[in-house]
């Protein structure tokens, strides 16, 4: 076929995967592509979708799932580009309407079929923070927080609950294996989780986990599963190594014989076990169906230079459990990954920003560079340095736009207007009204709960006398019949005067909310807007004011977890030291330690041309150490042992003193001696 020139660019294995099973009229048997980082798995998947479309598949009958909305968008754009050349007219992203994350697809399905499965179609979706708040309300309701101050925090309670739901394991096992310090409270946690589930039902609320759990549960009814499954011919999934047992159950219910199913992933990059992802999903996939799935491996890395591939291979080669694959690259380079030892995190930040700006001078855009870190808080120094030197950046996986109080307030107003039973939103919004505190808010919500139709009952609820002045405006905001997107304008108008009262920097926040309203107008309905924002919120930027202008150049800061699947010409990894990678929390079991190793592997394999790892000898930890200090003296990460040091270029850096500059006293540490100890 002359038109299929897009196949020519692929290597033999990729091509075999792209066309596998697409020749006959029957749906292709199940296919697994398992391969190392940068070997073109995602590229293959985009080509496979395009190829199916070229062969006449209906884009509306293709379900495409991956781990983030950003990744899903990128995939559909690629399909668009390939089909544009292959078919003359592209199959546009809108036609591929079933593409997104498992959670977003779940939310859409549950909303579409709500009535049939006993849900109210106006259900709200709680993000993790809302869920933790609801857990807290339940905890107080049961008097648990008063019984013992050491009782697990709301966040820990939610993490335990979430883990149990996503793994399907009994609570006692989850406690024993992952939260042993909480095991003494098993008898209290059980009723707490019971109360939490009841509260969600009563309030018509689903949390993240419910989007999968409810989906999996309704799929257990064979009629329903067949009905839903019949909606798609092809189901294709990227990053399959990071799915959990519920997601695997959903898949097998969608495609009981596996036909039309393609999954892609890399067991060496499984980094979400801490959220109950189970690498067995991908390892067991070949034997899950009859006929047995076709397995195709890819070994050529197209992303990185050979020295980067060699270093990453060396790090992962030590892993204890793994589908072995040896990656190679034809991209030669004399540049080994650099291991840069510096005295402190502040100097690490200076070094990296120096390099980044130098490279920009040399023609490498900021957008082609990234700084990666284990947890968001580790970016503090680099953020400060970037701000000081006026370098624009976008931060992924850290504080979200959505986490700021004013954005949350406005979204809660919208949520409450749609679903007045949502108590977390209710508590938040009611307390914005002068004269209403937590007790009064609780009473109002209790009264509302007793009415058959709470939406119209706002008018009948009596506010406390102190709040009488602000009440009519609130009721008007809750009961408006404004159509979308006018509704968000009205909600903002109601909230606006409260901004000045609550926040000192009201003007900046006002600008954020205007921007939020702008974003909202791009959505067809309040549900679509709220769902998307809750499931995949926009990322925070250097000025906290939303997304930078389209053609502006900016640096990417990202947690390693959020950098999955992406690539940059130059990558800087912060804190490649023990205590950070692996984190001190991650070293309690071999499983967790192995996950930390894979995390470093994922980070290193994001780099195309240049890779830098920072080794600050002293770094800040959020958990207090035994002597009360919050700094620890660090050693090079154990994942880069002496035996593989030759794959790196070791550098020690300290800033050249500037004449006349007054420097702060040097850190009380003998760098030279520590260096000798470390490097031998
Ligand atoms: P990860 O495991 O990190 O998700 P991956 O296996 O999905 O990586 P891709 O992101 O698909 O890898 O590809 C890595 C890079 O290699 C991309 O820049 C992609 O465009 C390029 N690439 C993939 N296949 C080919 C090919 N056959 N020829 C040239 N470049 C390719
Ligand atoms: Mg990929």
């Amino acid at each position: 076929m002359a038109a299929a020139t897009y196949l020519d660019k692929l290597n033999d294995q990729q091509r075999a995967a792209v066309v596998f099973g697409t020749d006959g009229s029957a749906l292709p048997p199940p296919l697994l592509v398992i391969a190392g980082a940068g070997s073109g798995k995602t590229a293959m998947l985009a080509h496979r979708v395009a190829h199916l479309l070229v062969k006449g598949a209906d884009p509306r009958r293709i379900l495409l799932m991956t781990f983030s909305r950003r990744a899903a968008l990128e995939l559909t754009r690629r399909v668009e580009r390939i089909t544009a050349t292959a078919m003359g007219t592209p199959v546009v992203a809108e036609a591929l309407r079933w593409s997104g994350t498992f959670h977003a697809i779940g939310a859409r399905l549950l909303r579409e079929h709500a009535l049939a499965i006993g849900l109210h179609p106006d259900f709200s979706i709680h993000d993790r923070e809302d869920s933790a708040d609801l857990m807290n309300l339940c905890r107080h309701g049961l008097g648990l927080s008063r019984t013992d101050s050491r009782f697990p925090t709301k966040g820990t309670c939610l993490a335990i609950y979430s883990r149990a739901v996503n793994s399907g394991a009994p609570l006692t096992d989850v406690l024993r294996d992952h939260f042993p310090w909480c095991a003494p409270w098993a008898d209290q946690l059980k009723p707490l989780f019971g109360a939490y589930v009841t509260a969600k039902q009563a309030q018509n609320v689903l949390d993240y986990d419910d989007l999968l759990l409810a989906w999996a549960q309704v799929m257990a009814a064979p009629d329903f599963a067949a009905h839903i499954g019949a909606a798609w011919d092809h189901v294709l999934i990227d990053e399959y190594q990071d799915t959990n047992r519920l997601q695997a159950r959903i898949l097998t219910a969608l495609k009981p014989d596996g036909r039309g199913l393609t999954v892609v992933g890399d067991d060496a990059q499984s980094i979400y076990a801490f959220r109950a992802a189970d690498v067995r999903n991908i390892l067991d996939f070949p034997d899950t169906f009859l006929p047995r799935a076709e397995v195709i491996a890819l070994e050529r890395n197209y992303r990185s230079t050979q020295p980067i591939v060699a270093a990453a291979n060396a790090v992962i080669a030590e892993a204890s459990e793994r589908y072995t694959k040896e990656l190679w690259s034809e991209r030669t380079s004399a540049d080994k990954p650099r291991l840069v030892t510096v005295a402190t995190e502040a100097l690490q930040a200076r070094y990296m920003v120096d390099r980044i700006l130098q490279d920009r001078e040399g023609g490498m855009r900021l957008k082609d560079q990234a700084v990666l870190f284990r947890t968001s808080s580790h970016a503090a120094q680099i953020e400060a340095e970037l701000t000081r030197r006026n370098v624009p950046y976008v931060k992924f996986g850290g504080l979200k736009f959505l986490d700021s109080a004013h954005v949350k307030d406005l979204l809660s107003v919208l949520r409450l207007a749609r679903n007045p039973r949502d108590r977390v939103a209710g508590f938040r919004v009611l307390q914005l009204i002068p004269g209403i505190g937590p007790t009064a808010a609780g009473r109002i919500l209790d009264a509302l709960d007793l009415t058959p139709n709470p939406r119209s009952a706002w008018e009948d609820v009596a506010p406390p006398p102190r709040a009488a002045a602000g009440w009519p405006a609130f009721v008007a905001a809750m009961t408006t019949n404004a159509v979308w997107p006018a509704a968000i304008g009205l909600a903002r108008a109601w909230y606006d005067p409260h901004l000045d009262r609550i926040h000192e920097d009201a003007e900046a926040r006002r600008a954020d909310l205007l921007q939020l309203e702008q974003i909202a107008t791009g959505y067809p309905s309040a549900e679509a807007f709220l769902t998307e924002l809750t499931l995949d919120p926009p990322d925070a930027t250097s000025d906290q004011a939303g997304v930078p202008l389209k053609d502006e150049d900016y640096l990417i800061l990202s947690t390693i977890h959020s950098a999955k699947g992406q690539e940059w010409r130059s990558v800087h990894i912060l804190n490649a030291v023990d205590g950070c990678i692996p984190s001190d929390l991650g070293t309690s079991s071999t499983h967790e330690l192995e996950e930390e190793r894979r995390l470093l592997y994922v980070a290193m394999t994001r780099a195309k041309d240049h890779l830098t790892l920072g080794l600050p000898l002293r770094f800040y930890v959020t958990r207090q150490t035994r002597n009360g200090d919050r700094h620890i003296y660090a050693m090079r990460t154990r994942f880069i042992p002496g035996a593989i040091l030759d794959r790196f270029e070791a550098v020690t850096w300290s800033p050249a003193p500037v004449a006349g500059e007054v420097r702060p006293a040097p850190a009380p540490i003998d760098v030279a001696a520590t260096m000798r100890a470390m490097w031998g």
Side-chain angles (χ1 to χ4, degrees):
M1 186 178 9
T5 46
Y6 56 89
L7 292 176
D8 301 344
K9 296 186 187 130
L10 305 171
N11 65 37
D12 292 349
Q13 287 88 355
Q14 280 177 316
R15 197 175 314 114
V18 165
V19 303
F20 173 73
T22 60
D23 268 342
S25 55
L27 289 176
L31 168 66
L32 164 67
V33 176
I34 188 161
S39 59
K41 297 182 295 298
T42 305
M44 182 290 295
L45 202 63
H47 281 82
R48 183 162 168 84
V49 173
H51 186 68
L52 290 168
L53 293 169
V54 169
K55 291 237 149 199
D58 180 348
R60 291 163 305 177
R61 296 181 53 78
I62 292 179
L63 173 61
L64 195 53
M65 290 193 281
T66 180
F67 72 103
S68 76
R69 195 169 75 91
R70 199 173 343 122
L73 279 175
E74 181 53 38
L75 250 177
T76 45
R77 276 199 211 110
R78 266 169 123 160
V79 173
E80 219 173 284
R81 284 198 297 270
I82 304 165
T83 51
T85 13
M87 302 165 79
T89 43
V91 172
V92 290
E94 285 81 66
L96 281 165
R97 44 197 296 265
W98 290 102
S99 112
T101 62
F102 258 96
H103 288 83
I105 300 284
R108 241 172 97 182
L109 278 176
L110 294 172
R111 187 102 56 198
E112 267 180 24
H113 298 278
L115 292 175
I117 55 185
L119 283 172
H120 194 293
D122 273 347
F123 64 80
S124 335
I125 300 173
H126 273 183
D127 66 13
R128 297 264 173 214
E129 197 188 331
D130 297 326
S131 305
D133 287 346
L134 182 58
M135 189 66 85
N136 210 29
L137 290 177
C138 297
R139 210 174 79 161
H140 284 288
L142 293 176
L144 285 171
S145 35
R146 260 153 278 156
T147 50
D148 192 328
S149 61
R150 285 164 307 165
F151 193 80
T153 61
K154 59 180 182 179
T156 307
C157 291
L158 184 68
I160 299 169
Y161 170 82
S162 176
R163 184 117 197 181
V165 167
N166 285 299
S167 64
L171 177 61
T172 39
D173 293 4
V174 171
L175 288 173
R176 185 196 57 219
D177 296 342
H178 305 290
F179 302 88
W181 66 95
C182 301
W185 283 285
D187 288 343
Q188 284 92 333
L189 287 169
K190 258 189 203 135
L192 172 61
F193 295 161
Y196 176 68
V197 170
T198 310
K200 282 189 296 183
Q201 278 164 357
Q203 298 176 28
N204 194 18
V205 154
L206 299 186
D207 62 22
Y208 278 161
D209 302 324
D210 288 330
L211 298 175
L212 298 184
L213 186 65
W215 186 5
Q217 278 168 351
V218 297
M219 295 298 284
D223 286 357
F224 191 80
H227 173 63
I228 298 284
W232 300 293
D233 299 325
H234 300 276
V235 178
L236 306 100
I237 300 167
D238 199 0
E239 304 277 1
Y240 192 60
Q241 75 281 356
D242 281 326
T243 54
N244 63 34
R245 292 313 247 185
L246 276 179
Q247 288 161 314
R249 253 172 63 195
I250 290 169
L251 271 197
T252 39
L254 277 178
K255 291 277 169 198
D257 59 2
R259 285 195 169 266
L261 197 54
T262 302
V263 307
V264 167
D266 178 8
D267 52 326
Q269 293 185 68
S270 128
I271 52 175
Y272 276 94
F274 78 104
R275 283 219 194 122
D278 194 334
V279 72
R280 274 183 307 163
N281 282 356
I282 197 166
L283 300 179
D284 295 348
F285 186 84
D287 297 314
T288 308
F289 303 97
L290 277 176
R292 199 174 179 279
E294 177 80 4
V295 181
I296 296 180
L298 313 174
E299 295 203 311
R300 171 162 174 194
N301 176 307
Y302 287 95
R303 176 180 295 147
S304 315
T305 61
Q306 182 56 33
I308 293 173
V309 170
N313 275 346
V315 164
I316 203 69
E318 305 278 320
S320 51
E321 6 151 21
R322 168 177 110 93
Y323 225 88
T324 325
K325 34 191 144 23
E326 201 50 45
L327 277 182
W328 55 277
S329 167
E330 277 189 359
R331 300 192 50 215
T332 53
S333 163
D335 250 13
K336 288 185 189 177
R338 307 180 116 214
L339 271 178
V340 182
T341 302
V342 285
T344 64
E345 280 186 281
L347 289 179
Q348 173 179 251
R350 262 178 80 174
Y351 173 84
M352 288 185 178
V353 176
D354 279 356
R355 286 282 302 211
I356 288 165
L357 293 178
Q358 263 171 38
D359 286 345
R360 182 173 65 173
E361 295 286 294
M364 199 190 311
R365 294 180 311 171
L366 293 174
K367 275 185 184 166
D368 292 326
Q369 312 188 46
V371 179
L372 307 182
F373 33 85
R374 176 75 179 72
T375 36
S376 192
S377 61
H378 288 142
Q381 296 275 4
I382 198 112
E383 287 189 69
E385 184 74 15
L386 290 168
T387 307
R388 197 171 68 75
R389 292 164 77 168
N390 249 324
V391 183
Y393 66 88
V394 172
K395 190 174 173 191
F396 292 154
L399 178 84
K400 304 286 187 184
F401 188 51
L402 195 72
D403 293 337
S404 34
H406 55 300
V407 173
K408 223 147 179 175
D409 284 346
L410 182 58
L411 295 179
S412 299
V413 175
L414 283 176
R415 243 167 61 193
L416 190 63
R418 305 208 60 76
N419 175 17
R421 298 215 193 273
D422 182 340
R423 281 182 90 94
V424 171
F427 269 106
R428 192 165 186 116
V429 175
L430 284 170
Q431 290 180 69
L432 293 171
I433 303 169
I436 297 186
T439 319
R443 260 194 230 119
I444 294 171
L445 292 170
D446 287 344
L448 203 76
D449 268 349
L450 296 175
T451 61
N453 180 4
R455 209 132 155 196
S456 55
W458 286 113
E459 286 144 351
D460 303 332
V461 176
R466 272 167 299 136
W471 191 253
F474 167 73
V475 172
M478 285 299 121
T479 48
T480 165
N481 286 321
V483 290
W484 185 258
I488 188 169
L490 287 174
R492 195 177 55 76
W494 174 77
Y495 179 56
D496 193 76
H498 299 292
L499 264 177
D500 297 292
R501 207 165 35 77
I502 314 171
H503 299 292
E504 276 185 3
D505 53 345
E507 275 319 308
R509 292 173 191 260
R510 195 159 272 135
D512 282 357
L513 296 183
L514 271 170
Q515 202 191 350
L516 192 67
E517 196 177 321
Q518 273 301 309
I519 298 175
T521 53
Y523 287 85
S525 66
E527 280 83 22
F529 171 68
L530 287 170
T531 303
E532 185 139 302
L533 234 67
T534 309
L535 295 183
D536 222 331
D539 298 286
T541 50
S542 37
D543 55 8
Q544 299 288 309
V547 200
L549 298 173
K550 232 182 183 165
D551 41 36
E552 202 179 307
D553 192 22
Y554 52 84
L555 180 73
I556 301 291
L557 303 192
S558 176
T559 59
I560 301 172
H561 283 102
S562 298
K564 215 164 80 156
Q566 303 193 66
E567 60 189 20
W568 294 273
R569 282 184 63 194
S570 173
V571 168
H572 299 259
I573 303 173
L574 296 179
N575 299 348
V577 292
D578 263 9
C580 184
I581 311 176
S583 91
D584 50 352
L585 303 170
T587 46
S588 55
S589 74
T590 334
H591 279 305
E592 286 167 11
L593 200 59
E594 286 305 315
E595 178 143 322
E596 299 281 317
R597 181 197 305 281
R598 294 191 295 264
L599 203 57
L600 181 60
Y601 176 75
V602 169
M604 292 173 67
T605 51
R606 299 309 96 201
K608 294 190 195 176
D609 304 338
H610 306 287
L611 175 62
T612 308
L613 297 93
L615 296 182
L617 295 181
R618 190 174 134 85
F619 87 102
Y620 183 81
V621 282
T622 40
R623 233 177 22 161
Q624 223 160 18
T625 54
R626 228 170 281 137
N627 61 13
D629 187 7
R630 285 188 182 250
H631 289 90
I632 60 171
Y633 291 97
M635 298 285 279
R636 186 179 71 233
T637 171
R638 70 190 66 179
F639 303 134
I640 305 181
I644 65 166
L645 260 186
D646 61 345
R647 312 280 156 89
F648 298 83
E649 181 194 347
V651 184
T652 304
W653 186 79
S654 54
V658 178
E661 190 186 1
V662 183
R663 298 204 148 275
I669 173 174
D670 184 350
V671 179
T674 319
M675 293 290 310
R676 277 195 299 278
M678 280 178 73
W679 302 105

